Amino acid sequence: MAIQFNFVSSMLILVLLSISSVEGQGGGGGGGVIDVVAKFGAKADEKTDLSKPLLDAWKEACASTSPSKIVIPKGIYFLSTTTLDGPCKAPIELQVQGTVKAPADPGAFKEPKWIAFNRIENFKLSGGGIFDGQGTTAYKKEGCKGHDYCGSLPINLRFDFLTNAMIQDITTKDSKQFQANVLGCKNITFEHFTVSAPDESPNTDGIHIGRSDGVNVLNSEIKTGDDCVSIGDGSKNLVINGVTCGPGHGISIGSLGLFKNEEPVDGVTVKNCTMTNTSMVLESKLGQVLNLALVRTFTLRILS
């Protein structure tokens, strides 16, 4: 019952976000379409940092009392790193039409993140664009198997403490670590989300979910060197439906049981998924302590 309610509520969120999206119409207190090239001088030359124009556009949209859409037009952009913070006063859509590239050198990052979305409500990321982490150099470094090096590498997309969010028609590729990380979110949906990384890429989970309630991964394609979807402690009411996974390790619950005070995983449904060239269909990573009590409700229906 909890899973069913979660799915219905997420669809209602999608409808509300669609209604509130802005197609070039302004409103009181700001809002409307904000083009980072036309208004803030962003350049699609693969060398001029997109960080300041994007932050300036975000600041304007976040302060608006009516819905806003930020547009990154077609082209190839360089972005050093950025964190887009809320809370904001009205819904925001970030429409990425082009390709955004990260620094290739892992040493350019002081923190294990490239692009982060933090404490935002009613947010949509869309547009058919690509986030390219340029991680192929990092894959060749020593130490990844022990996670002492890979754990400090940047994650392509971090979604931290978002409420009512839609990630739709977006590609993330060649992240140096996880492709997308979901932490502390409530009602967030990934639909037509594409992950692309070579099968030898280490620690590059497609979507890692932790301590979140109401996460849907729908009709998506995930190709990576690690878990297609990995589920950490405190995750509940998750639906993974219509996902094509492979190469990769499959869909993983865990690791669990390694640390004190871990929260249970409750209400996970996996259905209508296709696994190709994966190490396994479902992987249970329960750590050194076999703590099955942490996994309360799980439903599996794989169609391969």
Side-chain angles (χ1 to χ4, degrees):
M1 183 63 67
I3 290 293
Q4 193 172 23
F5 174 77
N6 172 57
F7 184 77
V8 172
S9 63
S10 296
M11 296 309 294
L12 288 173
I13 290 164
L14 173 59
V15 172
L16 289 172
L17 286 173
S18 298
I19 292 172
S20 64
S21 64
V22 182
E23 296 293 343
Q25 297 179 0
V33 175
I34 305 170
D35 186 316
V36 297
V37 173
K39 187 162 188 178
F40 292 104
K43 296 181 180 179
D45 59 6
E46 299 187 58
K47 61 182 181 180
T48 303
D49 195 349
L50 179 64
S51 179
K52 188 178 186 304
L54 180 56
L55 285 171
D56 287 344
W58 184 263
K59 183 178 179 181
E60 179 176 318
C62 195
S64 171
T65 55
S66 59
S68 301
K69 178 190 290 184
I70 299 170
V71 176
I72 300 176
K74 291 182 179 180
I76 302 177
Y77 303 82
F78 169 76
L79 175 64
S80 56
T81 184
T82 194
T83 297
L84 303 178
D85 284 312
C88 297
K89 294 181 178 180
I92 298 178
E93 178 176 356
L94 175 58
Q95 187 178 92
V96 181
Q97 300 172 357
T99 296
V100 181
K101 286 189 172 183
D105 181 9
F109 297 88
K110 297 180 180 179
E111 297 181 273
K113 61 181 180 179
W114 176 33
I115 301 171
F117 303 91
N118 183 47
R119 300 186 185 280
I120 309 165
E121 188 171 352
N122 299 320
F123 171 69
K124 184 175 183 180
L125 176 62
S126 67
I130 300 170
F131 292 95
D132 184 354
Q134 299 207 91
T136 53
T137 302
Y139 304 152
K140 300 175 184 178
K141 297 287 185 179
E142 296 295 329
C144 280
K145 290 184 179 180
H147 296 289
D148 54 342
Y149 169 75
C150 281
S152 63
L153 291 172
I155 294 168
N156 259 16
L157 301 172
R158 287 196 63 108
F159 302 97
D160 297 331
F161 307 103
L162 271 58
T163 301
N164 301 339
M166 169 66 71
I167 317 302
Q168 188 176 54
D169 297 318
I170 286 294
T171 295
T172 171
K173 63 173 292 187
D174 295 340
S175 179
K176 297 176 178 66
Q177 202 198 142
F178 294 171
Q179 302 282 345
N181 190 82
V182 178
L183 176 65
C185 292
K186 185 173 182 180
N187 295 332
I188 179 171
T189 294
F190 294 80
E191 186 170 25
H192 300 298
F193 185 70
T194 302
V195 172
S196 176
D199 58 4
E200 71 271 13
S201 58
N203 206 32
T204 53
D205 295 17
I207 303 175
H208 178 75
I209 302 165
R211 303 203 173 200
S212 296
D213 183 357
V215 181
N216 298 309
V217 184
L218 310 175
N219 304 317
S220 295
E221 183 177 20
I222 302 177
K223 299 179 179 181
T224 190
D226 212 297
D227 304 330
C228 291
V229 180
S230 55
I231 302 164
D233 83 298
S235 301
K236 56 186 179 180
N237 300 323
L238 311 183
V239 174
I240 303 168
N241 187 3
V243 171
T244 299
C245 168
H249 291 178
I251 295 170
S252 301
I253 296 180
S255 300
L256 299 175
L258 288 174
F259 305 101
K260 293 181 178 179
N261 302 318
E262 288 186 346
E263 299 177 10
V265 171
D266 188 8
V268 179
T269 295
V270 180
K271 60 182 180 179
N272 304 323
C273 293
T274 301
M275 306 289 172
T276 305
N277 192 27
T278 60
S279 57
M280 56 192 69
V281 174
L282 175 72
E283 183 177 13
S284 181
K285 296 180 177 179
L286 297 173
Q288 296 174 351
V289 180
L290 189 61
N291 194 348
L292 290 172
L294 286 173
V295 184
R296 289 183 172 171
T297 310
F298 178 76
T299 304
L300 174 66
R301 182 162 64 100
I302 299 289
L303 302 180
S304 58

